[in-house]
Amino acid sequence: MAKLYIVPTPIGNLEDITLRAINTLKEVDFILAEDTRTTSHLLRHLGIEKPMHSHHKFNEHATVGRVAEAIAQGKNVALVSDAGTPGISDPGFLLVRRCVEEGIDVVTLPGATALIPAVVQSGFPCDRFCFEGFLPQKKGRMKRLEELSTEPRTLILYESPYRVVKCLEQLTETFGSERRVAVVREITKRFEESVRGTISEALDHFRTHEPKGEFVIVVEGYDPKRRGVATDEEADEDADAENQ
């Protein structure tokens, strides 16, 4: 039986793609791409020629049925997004759900995603974390931030460069200016940067340095004993207690 393959692509550095992903892209019958122009650039780099069809947030409701039917008829299909793993703040969920409902095998390859490198290099606990992706742009945004302000796990947000300053201002309002953050941009790319400190310090930085590129904001979890800021000693004590 044919299958749907979820294939992660590099988030910046084109070397960050697995041999299995390359072989899968070579072997499928066609590729579904969020933006065929972006994927064409990657395929040329890899020396792969393969039919492509657009599959993005504006047409996925209309295309999932046709794709599922093509797979059921014996066509192996790979789904890619512009960067990273499809379905993680990118199109993919609707197609995966439809294939699961119709008994079609879905094979998800491991690979690049921005959230894991960001949380690991933040210096905050990453044994448990809360991934929120992109917050609502308008309606419900502040309410969601208020709900997350007492989340004890490390919090991970995606943000565009055009809203980074506004997001940090809103975090200051809801989380407090002294909560620690790591603002990571352009992961794996030439100008990769991590800005660590309190929310107010990160805000001051990006008010004077124009935000550019793709951003991941990692926020330390809430700790009521420290008004939302856990010390290293307390984190070690918590880890020791769990290990006993």
Side-chain angles (χ1 to χ4, degrees):
M1 181 180 293
K3 301 176 182 179
L4 170 67
Y5 293 89
I6 308 299
V7 182
T9 55
I11 58 175
N13 191 317
L14 293 181
E15 294 183 359
D16 292 332
I17 188 167
T18 68
L19 293 174
R20 185 183 176 197
I22 294 171
N23 289 331
T24 299
L25 293 175
K26 289 179 178 179
E27 293 168 1
V28 294
D29 293 292
F30 65 88
I31 297 170
L32 296 175
E34 183 177 7
D35 187 327
T36 56
R37 295 166 299 180
T38 300
T39 302
S40 292
H41 175 69
L42 175 64
L43 295 182
R44 284 196 299 271
H45 175 76
L46 299 173
I48 297 173
E49 293 186 8
K50 192 66 60 173
M52 281 191 294
H53 304 287
S54 294
H55 184 83
H56 46 72
K57 65 180 181 180
F58 300 109
N59 74 353
E60 59 179 336
H61 285 85
T63 59
V64 291
R66 293 197 297 272
V67 174
E69 181 179 355
I71 299 172
Q73 292 176 353
K75 300 290 187 181
N76 285 297
V77 178
L79 173 66
V80 301
S81 59
D82 288 350
T85 301
I88 306 296
S89 295
D90 280 322
F93 162 70
L94 292 178
L95 180 57
V96 170
R97 182 176 66 180
R98 181 64 172 267
C99 288
V100 169
E101 290 173 347
E102 298 193 11
I104 295 170
D105 284 344
V106 179
V107 179
T108 303
L109 279 60
T113 184
L115 70 97
I116 297 301
V119 69
V120 170
Q121 71 187 46
S122 71
F124 301 145
C126 51
D127 54 340
R128 297 180 180 87
F129 54 84
C130 176
F131 174 65
E132 279 290 311
F134 288 99
L135 292 166
Q137 291 189 23
K138 295 180 180 179
K139 185 177 180 181
R141 184 180 178 91
M142 292 303 293
K143 180 181 179 181
R144 185 60 184 148
L145 282 173
E146 289 168 1
E147 293 170 347
L148 292 169
S149 65
T150 55
E151 167 59 58
R153 296 169 295 177
T154 300
L155 175 66
I156 306 169
L157 305 172
Y158 284 171
E159 193 53 276
S160 82
Y162 310 108
R163 292 193 299 269
V164 166
V165 170
K166 183 65 174 179
C167 183
L168 291 170
E169 290 173 344
Q170 292 170 332
L171 286 172
T172 299
E173 181 180 344
T174 52
F175 286 52
S177 61
E178 296 305 305
R179 185 83 69 93
R180 291 188 293 179
V181 296
V183 183
V184 189
R185 71 180 189 91
E186 294 292 83
I187 293 174
T188 79
K189 299 178 184 179
R190 179 181 178 185
F191 297 105
E192 179 175 347
E193 177 186 30
S194 294
V195 177
R196 300 180 179 89
T198 64
I199 296 176
S200 62
E201 289 170 339
L203 179 57
D204 288 341
H205 175 85
F206 288 107
R207 278 175 171 166
T208 56
H209 297 77
E210 181 184 359
K212 295 181 180 180
E214 301 300 323
F215 282 77
V216 183
I217 300 176
V218 186
V219 187
E220 188 175 34
Y222 173 73
D223 185 337
K225 295 181 293 184
R226 300 290 298 173
R227 298 175 61 188
V229 180
T231 65
D232 293 338
E233 291 77 12
E234 288 170 336
D236 291 340
E237 289 175 2
D238 290 342
D240 290 340
E242 289 183 0
N243 292 329
Q244 292 177 356

